[in-house]
Amino acid sequence: MPNPASPATALPAPAPEPPARPGYRAVFRVREFRFVFVAHLFSLLGVVVSELALTVLVYDLTRSPLLSSLTFALGFLPYLLGGTLLAGLTDRLPPRRILVVCDLVCSACVAAMVVPATPVAVLLVLRCAIAVVSPVFNGTRMATLADILGEGDLFVLGRSLLRIVSQSALLTGFAVGGVLLTLVPPRGALAVTTVTFLVSALLLRLGTARRPARAAGSAAGGLAGTWAVLRNRRVRALMLMFWVPPLFAVVPEALAAPYADEIGVSTAALGLLMCALPVGTIAGELFAGSFLSTATRSRIVLPLAVTGVLPYLLYAPEPGVALAVAALFLAGATGAYTLGLDAWFVAAVPEEQRGRAMTLMTAGMMTVQGIGMAGAGIAAEFAPVHTVVAGTGVVGTLCLLAAAAELRASGATEK
C-alpha cells in the first residue's frame, strides 16, 4: 500500500501497470495483498477445522451417520440463499466492513457451538449461518482484489494464489484437523477456530484500506439486483462457464470411496484417488501462472474448459488405481483455464455490479458442486461407479461445448 502509515483512512494509488508476465512474486510485492493472503489462510483454516470438528461433535452427540453427513452437506446448500439474497450488500456497503463483519459473524457462530448446552438443532442452524455469509465474504474479497491489484494480470495471479491455497486445504486441512482432534475434544478444536476467524478479521481491518461502497445509492436490492446482473448476456455466459465444469468435475471425488471398494483397493489407494484432482489443479494453475503469458492464458480458456472432463472416459474399462489417478490429475490440470476466464470476467462486469456478480459466481460454483455430488450418488445407485464417471465425461463434454458456444456468441471472449 502506498501510504502504510495510514492504511485505515487513505485510498491506495491505482496499481501500477504490470509487465507482460509479472509472475506470482509481483503479487506479493503489493503490501495490501499480503494481508489479504494471510487472512485467507487463517479464515480457510477456521472453515476446514470447524467443518471437521462439528461433524465429529454431531456424531458424538447423536451417533447418527445421517446427521453427521448432513452437517457437512450444509456447507454447500445455503450458499445459494446467501449468494442471491445478500449479494447486493457487496456493492452497497464498504467492502472492508463487509469482510470484517463476516469474519466476526463466523467467529461468533463457532463460539456458540463451543457452549456445551448448545443442542444439535442449533449447531446445524449455526452451521447454516456460516454458509450463508460465506459467499458474501468470498465475493467481496474477490471484488476487493480488483481494487487492490487492478483489473489486469496481477488480479488474475492473485485470484490464482487464493485458489491454490484453497485446493491445498483439501490436501492438508483435514489432516491438520484430524491431528488437532487427537489432542483436544471437538469443542476444543472449535474454540481454536474462533481465534482463526478473529485473526482474519483483525488482519483485514488493519491491513486493507477503507474504500467506499461501489454503488451505495444506485444498486438494486434483492432478486431485482441479481436479475440486473444476469440480464447481461456476456456476464451470464461467463458465469455459466464457471459453473458447468465443477458440476461434473466433482463426480469422481464424490464416488472415490465406492470406486475403491468396487476395484478392491486399500485405503491408501483411496487417498491417492482423493488427492489426484486437487494436485492436478494446483500444478496446472502454477504452470499457467508462472510460465504462460496473458495472451496465451486467454487463448487456452475454451480448449482446456471443453476438454476438462474428457479424461474421465479412461474410467470406462474400470481401470486400476494408476490409470484412474492419471485421469484425475489430467482433469485437474485443465483447471488452468480459470486464469484466463478470471480476466474476461472482471473486464466484462461493470464496476458498480462487481461485488454482486462475483458473489453470485462463487455462490453458484459451490451450489453446483453440491448438486454434482448428490447427482453422482444417485446415479451410482443404478449403475457401476466406473460407468457413472465415464458417462460424466461424455455428458459433461457435451454441456461444456454448449456453454463454450454461448460464450462465443455473447462476445465474452473478445479482447
Side-chain angles (χ1 to χ4, degrees), residues 69-343:
S69 61
L70 178 63
T71 303
F72 193 80
L74 287 175
F76 290 94
L77 301 179
Y79 255 78
L80 184 60
L81 176 66
T84 53
L85 298 184
L86 302 180
L89 295 177
T90 57
D91 291 318
R92 299 170 72 184
L93 295 174
R96 187 180 65 182
R97 184 188 307 170
I98 295 173
L99 294 173
V100 172
V101 168
C102 285
D103 265 335
L104 293 177
V105 168
C106 291
S107 182
C109 288
V110 177
M113 296 175 186
V114 177
V115 178
T118 306
V120 172
V122 176
L123 292 175
L124 297 180
V125 170
L126 292 169
R127 178 72 183 94
C128 286
I130 294 175
V132 166
V133 302
S134 291
V136 178
F137 179 88
N138 292 333
T140 302
R141 183 180 59 200
M142 183 177 172
T144 302
L145 277 185
D147 298 330
I148 295 172
L149 301 173
E151 299 178 7
D153 218 34
L154 286 182
F155 166 78
V156 171
L157 294 176
R159 276 276 293 153
S160 175
L161 281 170
L162 297 188
R163 272 197 305 268
I164 288 170
V165 170
S166 298
Q167 288 292 331
S168 300
L170 297 176
L171 303 175
T172 61
F174 288 117
V176 171
V179 172
L180 183 60
L181 287 171
T182 65
L183 302 175
V184 297
R187 292 190 193 274
L190 288 170
V192 172
T193 65
T194 64
V195 178
T196 65
F197 285 121
L198 288 175
V199 171
S200 175
L202 184 64
L203 288 168
L204 292 170
R205 175 63 181 80
L206 299 179
T208 61
R210 182 177 62 191
R211 295 177 171 84
R214 293 181 182 82
S218 60
L223 295 178
T226 298
W227 177 240
V229 172
L230 296 178
R231 277 202 303 266
N232 186 324
R233 186 183 182 186
R234 289 163 64 93
V235 173
R236 191 171 64 242
L238 287 164
M239 283 191 182
L240 193 64
M241 188 54 74
F242 275 110
W243 293 343
V244 176
L247 174 65
F248 298 100
V250 298
V251 170
E253 285 186 301
L255 299 178
Y259 186 67
D261 181 65
E262 181 178 292
I263 62 176
V265 296
S266 66
T267 54
L270 172 60
L272 290 175
L273 292 173
M274 293 292 291
C275 292
L277 191 67
V279 168
T281 302
I282 293 170
E285 289 231 12
L286 285 174
F287 178 82
S290 301
F291 300 107
L292 301 184
S293 67
T294 303
T296 301
R297 291 200 297 264
S298 183
R299 285 195 295 269
I300 65 175
V301 169
L302 293 183
L304 287 184
V306 299
T307 58
V309 294
L310 272 180
Y312 293 173
L313 294 176
L314 294 175
Y315 270 75
E318 196 178 34
V321 173
L323 187 56
V325 166
L328 294 171
F329 181 88
L330 287 174
T334 64
Y337 79 89
T338 52
L339 280 79
L341 195 61
D342 277 336

